[in-house]
Amino acid sequence: MKIATFNVNSVRKRLPTVTRWLKTHAPDVLCLQETKVQDSEFPVAALESSGYVATFRGMKGYNGVAVLTKSAPDFVSEGLDKGPNGDGPRLLHVVVQGVVIVNTYIPQGFKIDHPKYQYKLQWFSRLRRYFSRHFDPHQPIIWCGDMNVAPLPMDVHHPEKHLTHVCYHQEARDAYHKTLNWGFEDVFRRLYPDTPQYTFWDYRQPDALKANRGWRIDHILATTPLAQKCTAVEVDVQPRKGKMPSDHTVLWAKFAI
Amino acid sequence: MKIATFNVNSVRKRLPTVTRWLKTHAPDVLCLQETKVQDSEFPVAALESSGYVATFRGMKGYNGVAVLTKSAPDFVSEGLDKGPNGDGPRLLHVVVQGVVIVNTYIPQGFKIDHPKYQYKLQWFSRLRRYFSRHFDPHQPIIWCGDMNVAPLPMDVHHPEKHLTHVCYHQEARDAYHKTLNWGFEDVFRRLYPDTPQYTFWDYRQPDALKANRGWRIDHILATTPLAQKCTAVEVDVQPRKGKMPSDHTVLWAKFAI
DNA sequence: GTTCTGGGGG
DNA sequence: CCCCCAGAAC
């Protein structure tokens, strides 16, 4: 089973990138974040003709998540909680081929002294509760998406310069790790303990890609029974290098199931 | 000498269309209207590498005219008058290969009961004065551009439905013809007195192009000595049919000089 | 429909 | 830098 995650920064703007990637890589599952589109405008048809079923939950202008699968999921749920405060456009939980997949777009947090940052930190604890409430770490579960956290110094260029950045600040890393420690493993780091490899390069940073000034903030995490079956993980930089790129690129992992 | 006119509706958005057209048709002169770009942002380099010198006068967001020539013009002037009321971004007057070329983007006029319509009508009389002040009808002069006037019933689909439209209203046609009668001939009508042929199809009209519901409002006019040497005129519908089209298309004419 | 503007967001 | 939105223009 091949599963991928990609913060598209508008699924409508990135439709050619997405369909080409699906064609080339034929993943079983592609999780998207920042689709930035209302459900009524989600490009279902284009993805259908690429051979994928789209499960999506979006809103006007911001956020939005989607899961593309080769066949319809056996189960679908959205948001951390029921109701309007559940942040539907940030979490999709599906079951495909017996595997639970939780696709999240974690709040970025703006600045460490802003209420949005507290919201981000709380999001991780709410998510940990979500996992506890619904699953057991012995189940095969994948948690993936844009976590807006670079877990280790090697996961950001010039870490010492970013100590107060919402994606590297100690509290954010702690909150992320606490949720991860519910029962997940970072499959990229499992296979490549020492390889610096980014998944995001800021549009605003000039020559960010050329100079490789990026961040590893997109992750695929798996519970131990699944992580043990992970045979390959790769960051595909191609989409970021191509034309009309998202600021993120695709991360994928293969599992022997 | 081959000269063309094209309302691009943003020269930046239409750069691929323009460069492809230059490559395919190799005109001596291409006049552009609605470039919608400040002079500091005009895409000089891209047009230079197509082998053309760009003379341009634009503003932020609206209007803007340009003349592309194979070599630098011998003379350049902008606007109907000196100063801020001269409407520089609506008129460029250049001299190339001994031929005067006046490229205009005539005000559209909004609605016939609006002050903008009076401004449009006045524009034609100011332009006639411009011709009188600067030229003689015996000189070889070309006046071309987006005139925002369909001169004859055959120049608009359903003329009877557009009697109060600012581009077909009698006063607008009269104003246009009065300026034309200073000493110009419509070279398209000279060669094709009875052929309905549009140059503009409204984006908003569904299937406008397919159903050919358009307007002939872009024109190439020449003083008699030059008009007599006109050997070919054509509306090239290709750019309007292609992807990312302007709402106008290219009109070109060839002169045996 | 398509492109601008300006403002918000990352 | 690139995306969204709403509003204006044609």
mmCIF file of all heavy atoms in Angstrom, chain B residues 113-144:
data_model
loop_
_atom_site.group_PDB
_atom_site.id
_atom_site.type_symbol
_atom_site.label_atom_id
_atom_site.label_comp_id
_atom_site.label_asym_id
_atom_site.label_seq_id
_atom_site.Cartn_x
_atom_site.Cartn_y
_atom_site.Cartn_z
ATOM 1 N N ASP B 113 -26.495 56.857 -21.099
ATOM 2 C CA ASP B 113 -26.947 57.956 -20.240
ATOM 3 C C ASP B 113 -25.910 58.316 -19.171
ATOM 4 O O ASP B 113 -26.217 59.005 -18.197
ATOM 5 C CB ASP B 113 -28.288 57.619 -19.586
ATOM 6 C CG ASP B 113 -28.227 56.324 -18.786
ATOM 7 O OD1 ASP B 113 -27.156 55.678 -18.761
ATOM 8 O OD2 ASP B 113 -29.257 55.943 -18.201
ATOM 9 N N HIS B 114 -24.691 57.860 -19.371
ATOM 10 C CA HIS B 114 -23.635 58.081 -18.378
ATOM 11 C C HIS B 114 -22.617 59.093 -18.910
ATOM 12 O O HIS B 114 -22.372 59.135 -20.105
ATOM 13 C CB HIS B 114 -22.946 56.735 -18.094
ATOM 14 C CG HIS B 114 -22.077 56.747 -16.868
ATOM 15 N ND1 HIS B 114 -20.789 57.223 -16.884
ATOM 16 C CD2 HIS B 114 -22.315 56.357 -15.589
ATOM 17 C CE1 HIS B 114 -20.259 57.096 -15.670
ATOM 18 N NE2 HIS B 114 -21.176 56.578 -14.873
ATOM 19 N N PRO B 115 -22.043 59.913 -18.004
ATOM 20 C CA PRO B 115 -21.003 60.869 -18.439
ATOM 21 C C PRO B 115 -19.882 60.231 -19.251
ATOM 22 O O PRO B 115 -19.298 60.876 -20.134
ATOM 23 C CB PRO B 115 -20.462 61.419 -17.119
ATOM 24 C CG PRO B 115 -21.555 61.241 -16.129
ATOM 25 C CD PRO B 115 -22.373 60.065 -16.589
ATOM 26 N N LYS B 116 -19.572 58.952 -18.952
ATOM 27 C CA LYS B 116 -18.501 58.271 -19.693
ATOM 28 C C LYS B 116 -18.804 58.192 -21.187
ATOM 29 O O LYS B 116 -17.884 58.153 -22.020
ATOM 30 C CB LYS B 116 -18.308 56.838 -19.153
ATOM 31 C CG LYS B 116 -17.601 56.782 -17.809
ATOM 32 C CD LYS B 116 -17.460 55.344 -17.344
ATOM 33 C CE LYS B 116 -16.725 55.281 -16.014
ATOM 34 N NZ LYS B 116 -16.554 53.892 -15.533
ATOM 35 N N TYR B 117 -20.083 58.141 -21.502
ATOM 36 C CA TYR B 117 -20.462 58.069 -22.928
ATOM 37 C C TYR B 117 -20.186 59.399 -23.613
ATOM 38 O O TYR B 117 -19.704 59.426 -24.750
ATOM 39 C CB TYR B 117 -21.936 57.682 -23.058
ATOM 40 C CG TYR B 117 -22.374 57.444 -24.496
ATOM 41 C CD1 TYR B 117 -21.757 56.474 -25.273
ATOM 42 C CD2 TYR B 117 -23.395 58.194 -25.064
ATOM 43 C CE1 TYR B 117 -22.149 56.245 -26.585
ATOM 44 C CE2 TYR B 117 -23.803 57.969 -26.380
ATOM 45 C CZ TYR B 117 -23.172 56.996 -27.132
ATOM 46 O OH TYR B 117 -23.562 56.761 -28.429
ATOM 47 N N GLN B 118 -20.469 60.496 -22.924
ATOM 48 C CA GLN B 118 -20.144 61.821 -23.478
ATOM 49 C C GLN B 118 -18.635 61.933 -23.679
ATOM 50 O O GLN B 118 -18.165 62.498 -24.673
ATOM 51 C CB GLN B 118 -20.652 62.944 -22.550
ATOM 52 C CG GLN B 118 -22.175 63.003 -22.442
ATOM 53 C CD GLN B 118 -22.859 63.033 -23.804
ATOM 54 O OE1 GLN B 118 -22.485 63.801 -24.702
ATOM 55 N NE2 GLN B 118 -23.856 62.160 -23.977
ATOM 56 N N TYR B 119 -17.909 61.392 -22.723
ATOM 57 C CA TYR B 119 -16.446 61.418 -22.832
ATOM 58 C C TYR B 119 -15.986 60.648 -24.067
ATOM 59 O O TYR B 119 -15.093 61.089 -24.799
ATOM 60 C CB TYR B 119 -15.828 60.833 -21.559
ATOM 61 C CG TYR B 119 -14.334 60.967 -21.491
ATOM 62 C CD1 TYR B 119 -13.736 62.210 -21.292
ATOM 63 C CD2 TYR B 119 -13.503 59.864 -21.639
ATOM 64 C CE1 TYR B 119 -12.356 62.343 -21.222
ATOM 65 C CE2 TYR B 119 -12.122 59.980 -21.576
ATOM 66 C CZ TYR B 119 -11.558 61.220 -21.357
ATOM 67 O OH TYR B 119 -10.195 61.349 -21.306
ATOM 68 N N LYS B 120 -16.636 59.513 -24.309
ATOM 69 C CA LYS B 120 -16.321 58.714 -25.502
ATOM 70 C C LYS B 120 -16.573 59.512 -26.778
ATOM 71 O O LYS B 120 -15.712 59.573 -27.665
ATOM 72 C CB LYS B 120 -17.189 57.450 -25.515
ATOM 73 C CG LYS B 120 -17.043 56.593 -26.776
ATOM 74 C CD LYS B 120 -17.979 55.389 -26.734
ATOM 75 C CE LYS B 120 -17.696 54.399 -27.854
ATOM 76 N NZ LYS B 120 -18.365 53.098 -27.640
ATOM 77 N N LEU B 121 -17.748 60.133 -26.842
ATOM 78 C CA LEU B 121 -18.105 60.912 -28.044
ATOM 79 C C LEU B 121 -17.101 62.045 -28.252
ATOM 80 O O LEU B 121 -16.646 62.288 -29.379
ATOM 81 C CB LEU B 121 -19.529 61.462 -27.913
ATOM 82 C CG LEU B 121 -20.650 60.416 -27.777
ATOM 83 C CD1 LEU B 121 -22.001 61.100 -27.576
ATOM 84 C CD2 LEU B 121 -20.696 59.481 -28.986
ATOM 85 N N GLN B 122 -16.757 62.713 -27.154
ATOM 86 C CA GLN B 122 -15.773 63.802 -27.249
ATOM 87 C C GLN B 122 -14.412 63.292 -27.700
ATOM 88 O O GLN B 122 -13.678 63.993 -28.394
ATOM 89 C CB GLN B 122 -15.627 64.497 -25.889
ATOM 90 C CG GLN B 122 -16.745 65.488 -25.588
ATOM 91 C CD GLN B 122 -16.842 65.802 -24.095
ATOM 92 O OE1 GLN B 122 -15.872 65.626 -23.357
ATOM 93 N NE2 GLN B 122 -18.016 66.247 -23.653
ATOM 94 N N TRP B 123 -14.105 62.076 -27.287
ATOM 95 C CA TRP B 123 -12.801 61.502 -27.646
ATOM 96 C C TRP B 123 -12.628 61.456 -29.164
ATOM 97 O O TRP B 123 -11.556 61.762 -29.683
ATOM 98 C CB TRP B 123 -12.682 60.096 -27.061
ATOM 99 C CG TRP B 123 -11.354 59.849 -26.409
ATOM 100 C CD1 TRP B 123 -11.024 60.056 -25.113
ATOM 101 C CD2 TRP B 123 -10.177 59.345 -27.050
ATOM 102 N NE1 TRP B 123 -9.714 59.711 -24.894
ATOM 103 C CE2 TRP B 123 -9.171 59.274 -26.051
ATOM 104 C CE3 TRP B 123 -9.860 58.949 -28.348
ATOM 105 C CZ2 TRP B 123 -7.874 58.822 -26.328
ATOM 106 C CZ3 TRP B 123 -8.572 58.493 -28.617
ATOM 107 C CH2 TRP B 123 -7.590 58.437 -27.622
ATOM 108 N N PHE B 124 -13.699 61.091 -29.851
ATOM 109 C CA PHE B 124 -13.634 61.042 -31.321
ATOM 110 C C PHE B 124 -13.399 62.430 -31.920
ATOM 111 O O PHE B 124 -12.616 62.568 -32.865
ATOM 112 C CB PHE B 124 -14.915 60.419 -31.884
ATOM 113 C CG PHE B 124 -14.946 58.918 -31.800
ATOM 114 C CD1 PHE B 124 -15.844 58.269 -30.962
ATOM 115 C CD2 PHE B 124 -14.067 58.148 -32.549
ATOM 116 C CE1 PHE B 124 -15.876 56.880 -30.882
ATOM 117 C CE2 PHE B 124 -14.092 56.757 -32.486
ATOM 118 C CZ PHE B 124 -15.001 56.125 -31.639
ATOM 119 N N SER B 125 -14.043 63.471 -31.358
ATOM 120 C CA SER B 125 -13.819 64.809 -31.926
ATOM 121 C C SER B 125 -12.430 65.327 -31.573
ATOM 122 O O SER B 125 -11.771 65.979 -32.390
ATOM 123 C CB SER B 125 -14.927 65.790 -31.522
ATOM 124 O OG SER B 125 -15.012 65.903 -30.135
ATOM 125 N N ARG B 126 -11.972 65.004 -30.362
ATOM 126 C CA ARG B 126 -10.602 65.387 -30.000
ATOM 127 C C ARG B 126 -9.613 64.697 -30.918
ATOM 128 O O ARG B 126 -8.586 65.284 -31.308
ATOM 129 C CB ARG B 126 -10.305 64.996 -28.555
ATOM 130 C CG ARG B 126 -11.028 65.842 -27.532
ATOM 131 C CD ARG B 126 -10.928 65.210 -26.152
ATOM 132 N NE ARG B 126 -9.612 65.341 -25.543
ATOM 133 C CZ ARG B 126 -9.180 64.604 -24.513
ATOM 134 N NH1 ARG B 126 -9.976 63.678 -23.984
ATOM 135 N NH2 ARG B 126 -7.987 64.791 -24.006
ATOM 136 N N LEU B 127 -9.899 63.446 -31.249
ATOM 137 C CA LEU B 127 -8.996 62.681 -32.112
ATOM 138 C C LEU B 127 -8.989 63.250 -33.532
ATOM 139 O O LEU B 127 -7.944 63.343 -34.174
ATOM 140 C CB LEU B 127 -9.416 61.207 -32.122
ATOM 141 C CG LEU B 127 -8.538 60.235 -32.911
ATOM 142 C CD1 LEU B 127 -7.088 60.265 -32.431
ATOM 143 C CD2 LEU B 127 -9.088 58.811 -32.812
ATOM 144 N N ARG B 128 -10.175 63.682 -34.009
ATOM 145 C CA ARG B 128 -10.217 64.303 -35.333
ATOM 146 C C ARG B 128 -9.359 65.560 -35.336
ATOM 147 O O ARG B 128 -8.606 65.820 -36.280
ATOM 148 C CB ARG B 128 -11.667 64.629 -35.732
ATOM 149 C CG ARG B 128 -11.754 65.072 -37.194
ATOM 150 C CD ARG B 128 -13.128 65.543 -37.623
ATOM 151 N NE ARG B 128 -12.960 66.384 -38.801
ATOM 152 C CZ ARG B 128 -13.470 66.099 -39.992
ATOM 153 N NH1 ARG B 128 -14.214 65.034 -40.172
ATOM 154 N NH2 ARG B 128 -13.226 66.899 -41.020
ATOM 155 N N ARG B 129 -9.468 66.356 -34.277
ATOM 156 C CA ARG B 129 -8.629 67.548 -34.169
ATOM 157 C C ARG B 129 -7.151 67.159 -34.145
ATOM 158 O O ARG B 129 -6.316 67.838 -34.729
ATOM 159 C CB ARG B 129 -8.970 68.334 -32.894
ATOM 160 C CG ARG B 129 -9.969 69.459 -33.119
ATOM 161 C CD ARG B 129 -9.883 70.577 -32.081
ATOM 162 N NE ARG B 129 -9.805 70.115 -30.693
ATOM 163 C CZ ARG B 129 -10.826 69.624 -29.992
ATOM 164 N NH1 ARG B 129 -12.043 69.554 -30.537
ATOM 165 N NH2 ARG B 129 -10.655 69.227 -28.754
ATOM 166 N N TYR B 130 -6.844 66.069 -33.460
ATOM 167 C CA TYR B 130 -5.457 65.570 -33.394
ATOM 168 C C TYR B 130 -4.928 65.294 -34.796
ATOM 169 O O TYR B 130 -3.821 65.706 -35.159
ATOM 170 C CB TYR B 130 -5.393 64.309 -32.538
ATOM 171 C CG TYR B 130 -3.995 63.780 -32.288
ATOM 172 C CD1 TYR B 130 -3.265 64.187 -31.182
ATOM 173 C CD2 TYR B 130 -3.410 62.857 -33.159
ATOM 174 C CE1 TYR B 130 -1.987 63.702 -30.941
ATOM 175 C CE2 TYR B 130 -2.133 62.361 -32.936
ATOM 176 C CZ TYR B 130 -1.426 62.781 -31.815
ATOM 177 O OH TYR B 130 -0.155 62.300 -31.589
ATOM 178 N N PHE B 131 -5.749 64.608 -35.595
ATOM 179 C CA PHE B 131 -5.332 64.297 -36.970
ATOM 180 C C PHE B 131 -5.141 65.590 -37.760
ATOM 181 O O PHE B 131 -4.139 65.762 -38.463
ATOM 182 C CB PHE B 131 -6.371 63.396 -37.653
ATOM 183 C CG PHE B 131 -6.436 61.996 -37.098
ATOM 184 C CD1 PHE B 131 -7.660 61.368 -36.877
ATOM 185 C CD2 PHE B 131 -5.266 61.289 -36.812
ATOM 186 C CE1 PHE B 131 -7.718 60.071 -36.376
ATOM 187 C CE2 PHE B 131 -5.315 59.993 -36.308
ATOM 188 C CZ PHE B 131 -6.551 59.385 -36.079
ATOM 189 N N SER B 132 -6.104 66.514 -37.644
ATOM 190 C CA SER B 132 -6.019 67.785 -38.368
ATOM 191 C C SER B 132 -4.768 68.565 -37.994
ATOM 192 O O SER B 132 -4.109 69.160 -38.850
ATOM 193 C CB SER B 132 -7.236 68.667 -38.063
ATOM 194 O OG SER B 132 -8.417 68.027 -38.464
ATOM 195 N N ARG B 133 -4.484 68.572 -36.702
ATOM 196 C CA ARG B 133 -3.367 69.370 -36.192
ATOM 197 C C ARG B 133 -2.030 68.814 -36.661
ATOM 198 O O ARG B 133 -1.104 69.555 -36.937
ATOM 199 C CB ARG B 133 -3.418 69.373 -34.653
ATOM 200 C CG ARG B 133 -2.679 70.526 -34.004
ATOM 201 C CD ARG B 133 -2.735 70.430 -32.481
ATOM 202 N NE ARG B 133 -4.104 70.289 -32.001
ATOM 203 C CZ ARG B 133 -4.488 69.388 -31.095
ATOM 204 N NH1 ARG B 133 -3.618 68.555 -30.563
ATOM 205 N NH2 ARG B 133 -5.750 69.321 -30.692
ATOM 206 N N HIS B 134 -1.950 67.473 -36.750
ATOM 207 C CA HIS B 134 -0.641 66.847 -36.981
ATOM 208 C C HIS B 134 -0.402 66.355 -38.404
ATOM 209 O O HIS B 134 0.748 66.237 -38.815
ATOM 210 C CB HIS B 134 -0.448 65.677 -36.012
ATOM 211 C CG HIS B 134 -0.353 66.084 -34.590
ATOM 212 N ND1 HIS B 134 0.789 66.610 -34.048
ATOM 213 C CD2 HIS B 134 -1.268 66.074 -33.583
ATOM 214 C CE1 HIS B 134 0.590 66.890 -32.767
ATOM 215 N NE2 HIS B 134 -0.661 66.577 -32.466
ATOM 216 N N PHE B 135 -1.478 66.027 -39.112
ATOM 217 C CA PHE B 135 -1.284 65.361 -40.405
ATOM 218 C C PHE B 135 -2.105 65.976 -41.526
ATOM 219 O O PHE B 135 -2.933 66.858 -41.308
ATOM 220 C CB PHE B 135 -1.642 63.865 -40.315
ATOM 221 C CG PHE B 135 -1.163 63.179 -39.089
ATOM 222 C CD1 PHE B 135 -2.069 62.585 -38.196
ATOM 223 C CD2 PHE B 135 0.193 63.082 -38.810
ATOM 224 C CE1 PHE B 135 -1.637 61.932 -37.067
ATOM 225 C CE2 PHE B 135 0.635 62.423 -37.679
ATOM 226 C CZ PHE B 135 -0.289 61.851 -36.800
ATOM 227 N N ASP B 136 -1.888 65.369 -42.667
ATOM 228 C CA ASP B 136 -2.631 65.709 -43.879
ATOM 229 C C ASP B 136 -3.131 64.390 -44.471
ATOM 230 O O ASP B 136 -2.385 63.410 -44.479
ATOM 231 C CB ASP B 136 -1.688 66.414 -44.864
ATOM 232 C CG ASP B 136 -2.416 66.851 -46.104
ATOM 233 O OD1 ASP B 136 -2.614 65.991 -47.014
ATOM 234 O OD2 ASP B 136 -2.812 68.028 -46.168
ATOM 235 N N PRO B 137 -4.389 64.327 -44.947
ATOM 236 C CA PRO B 137 -4.928 63.047 -45.445
ATOM 237 C C PRO B 137 -4.166 62.472 -46.642
ATOM 238 O O PRO B 137 -4.396 61.306 -47.004
ATOM 239 C CB PRO B 137 -6.365 63.396 -45.853
ATOM 240 C CG PRO B 137 -6.682 64.658 -45.136
ATOM 241 C CD PRO B 137 -5.400 65.400 -44.973
ATOM 242 N N HIS B 138 -3.275 63.253 -47.238
ATOM 243 C CA HIS B 138 -2.488 62.724 -48.364
ATOM 244 C C HIS B 138 -1.280 61.932 -47.890
ATOM 245 O O HIS B 138 -0.678 61.193 -48.676
ATOM 246 C CB HIS B 138 -2.052 63.875 -49.274
ATOM 247 C CG HIS B 138 -3.207 64.652 -49.821
ATOM 248 N ND1 HIS B 138 -4.118 64.094 -50.688
ATOM 249 C CD2 HIS B 138 -3.629 65.910 -49.573
ATOM 250 C CE1 HIS B 138 -5.052 64.991 -50.980
ATOM 251 N NE2 HIS B 138 -4.788 66.111 -50.306
ATOM 252 N N GLN B 139 -0.952 62.092 -46.619
ATOM 253 C CA GLN B 139 0.162 61.314 -46.044
ATOM 254 C C GLN B 139 -0.244 59.856 -45.850
ATOM 255 O O GLN B 139 -1.434 59.567 -45.694
ATOM 256 C CB GLN B 139 0.500 61.839 -44.644
ATOM 257 C CG GLN B 139 1.311 63.102 -44.565
ATOM 258 C CD GLN B 139 1.420 63.508 -43.095
ATOM 259 O OE1 GLN B 139 0.674 64.364 -42.627
ATOM 260 N NE2 GLN B 139 2.329 62.875 -42.378
ATOM 261 N N PRO B 140 0.724 58.981 -45.802
ATOM 262 C CA PRO B 140 0.407 57.580 -45.446
ATOM 263 C C PRO B 140 0.247 57.433 -43.928
ATOM 264 O O PRO B 140 1.229 57.462 -43.196
ATOM 265 C CB PRO B 140 1.607 56.795 -45.956
ATOM 266 C CG PRO B 140 2.730 57.768 -45.977
ATOM 267 C CD PRO B 140 2.150 59.149 -46.110
ATOM 268 N N ILE B 141 -1.001 57.311 -43.509
ATOM 269 C CA ILE B 141 -1.292 57.229 -42.076
ATOM 270 C C ILE B 141 -2.182 56.019 -41.806
ATOM 271 O O ILE B 141 -3.135 55.775 -42.552
ATOM 272 C CB ILE B 141 -2.026 58.487 -41.581
ATOM 273 C CG1 ILE B 141 -1.244 59.753 -41.960
ATOM 274 C CG2 ILE B 141 -2.262 58.444 -40.073
ATOM 275 C CD1 ILE B 141 -2.036 61.031 -41.802
ATOM 276 N N ILE B 142 -1.859 55.325 -40.743
ATOM 277 C CA ILE B 142 -2.738 54.241 -40.282
ATOM 278 C C ILE B 142 -3.272 54.599 -38.903
ATOM 279 O O ILE B 142 -2.503 55.001 -38.018
ATOM 280 C CB ILE B 142 -1.986 52.897 -40.236
ATOM 281 C CG1 ILE B 142 -1.846 52.362 -41.664
ATOM 282 C CG2 ILE B 142 -2.732 51.879 -39.362
ATOM 283 C CD1 ILE B 142 -0.953 51.169 -41.794
ATOM 284 N N TRP B 143 -4.579 54.483 -38.780
ATOM 285 C CA TRP B 143 -5.224 54.629 -37.462
ATOM 286 C C TRP B 143 -5.831 53.272 -37.147
ATOM 287 O O TRP B 143 -6.667 52.781 -37.925
ATOM 288 C CB TRP B 143 -6.294 55.732 -37.533
ATOM 289 C CG TRP B 143 -7.226 55.773 -36.343
ATOM 290 C CD1 TRP B 143 -6.943 55.443 -35.060
ATOM 291 C CD2 TRP B 143 -8.599 56.176 -36.365
ATOM 292 N NE1 TRP B 143 -8.045 55.621 -34.266
ATOM 293 C CE2 TRP B 143 -9.085 56.070 -35.037
ATOM 294 C CE3 TRP B 143 -9.478 56.639 -37.361
ATOM 295 C CZ2 TRP B 143 -10.393 56.385 -34.693
ATOM 296 C CZ3 TRP B 143 -10.782 56.947 -37.014
ATOM 297 C CH2 TRP B 143 -11.235 56.818 -35.676
ATOM 298 N N CYS B 144 -5.410 52.683 -36.064
ATOM 299 C CA CYS B 144 -5.961 51.368 -35.741
ATOM 300 C C CYS B 144 -6.153 51.195 -34.245
ATOM 301 O O CYS B 144 -5.694 52.017 -33.451
ATOM 302 C CB CYS B 144 -5.064 50.268 -36.303
ATOM 303 S SG CYS B 144 -3.492 50.125 -35.449
#
